[in-house]
């Protein structure tokens, strides 16, 4: 189980990231610098396995949220540098939650409960349908309105299972 942490801000720089290994990996890794508007900066290492919600192209000036494993080791440098697992470009018509969801489909922070409808698309990161229960898994939940209860409840548009 990944302990997902998030950092939200504006992309201020995108550059190639040198992994130190020559050959096939050159140009495949990017470094996204993200500033939150309060002076905090985070660098995200974006690899070929980083999942971009809706497969959007991110550019300098875009508002994004980067999700990373809070338990993963990180180099002791400033600004902090995290391996991006999921990147979300802000979209005013949808909300996104990346978390582990338990057997009741409640996120690990207890803030969101998912109610699945027959219209909820449940897919893998490669776009193929997921045929099992999404409970007890790491999920990307894409949803619109939610209740104001704790946990908030929603019926998502789409669930992406992170296998």
């Amino acid at each position: 189980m990944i302990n997902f942490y998030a950092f939200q801000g504006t992309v201020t720089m995108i550059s190639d990231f040198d992994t130190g290994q020559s050959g096939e990996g050159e140009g495949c890794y990017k470094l996204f610098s993200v500033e939150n508007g309060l002076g905090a900066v985070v660098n995200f290492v974006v690899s070929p396995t980083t999942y971009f919600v809706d497969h959007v192209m991110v550019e300098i000036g875009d508002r994004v949220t980067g999700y990373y494993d809070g338990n993963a080791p990180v180099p002791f440098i400033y600004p902090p540098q995290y391996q991006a697992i999921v990147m979300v470009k802000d979209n005013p018509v949808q909300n996104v939650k990346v978390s582990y969801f338990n057997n009741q489909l409640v996120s690990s922070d207890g803030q969101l409960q998912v109610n699945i409808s027959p219209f909820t698309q449940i897919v893998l990161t490669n776009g193929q349908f997921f045929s099992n229960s999404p409970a007890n898994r790491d999920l990307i939940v894409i949803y619109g309105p939610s209740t104001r209860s704790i946990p908030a409840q929603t019926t998502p548009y789409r669930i992406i299972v992170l296998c």
Side-chain angles (χ1 to χ4, degrees), residues 52-71:
F52 282 77
V53 171
D54 297 328
H55 303 289
V56 295
M57 185 70 65
V58 172
E59 300 173 342
I60 293 172
D62 289 342
R63 293 221 11 109
V64 298
T65 303
Y67 292 88
Y68 60 96
D69 184 353
N71 295 334

Side-chain angles (χ1 to χ4, degrees), residues 67-136:
Y67 292 88
Y68 60 96
D69 184 353
N71 295 334
V74 295
F76 194 63
I77 58 174
Y78 182 82
Q81 182 172 291
Y82 303 116
Q83 178 71 40
I85 298 170
V86 176
M87 293 294 287
V88 181
K89 185 174 174 180
D90 284 7
N91 182 337
V93 297
Q94 72 182 19
N95 301 301
V96 177
K97 177 79 169 182
V98 180
S99 184
Y100 175 83
F101 284 79
N102 67 17
N103 61 345
Q104 300 295 313
L105 291 174
V106 175
S107 62
S108 60
D109 63 4
Q111 296 298 307
L112 186 66
Q113 181 172 9
V114 171
N115 301 313
I116 297 174
S117 84
F119 303 105
T120 302
Q121 252 191 352
I122 304 174
V123 297
L124 298 168
T125 55
N126 63 10
Q128 301 306 301
F129 285 108
F130 181 74
S131 55
N132 293 336
S133 168
N136 297 312

Side-chain angles (χ1 to χ4, degrees), residues 15-31 45-49:
S15 61
D16 285 336
F17 181 74
D18 184 10
T19 61
Q21 298 176 356
S22 63
E24 295 179 16
E26 289 182 39
C28 294
Y29 291 78
K30 301 290 182 191
L31 192 68
V45 176
V46 176
S47 74
T49 60

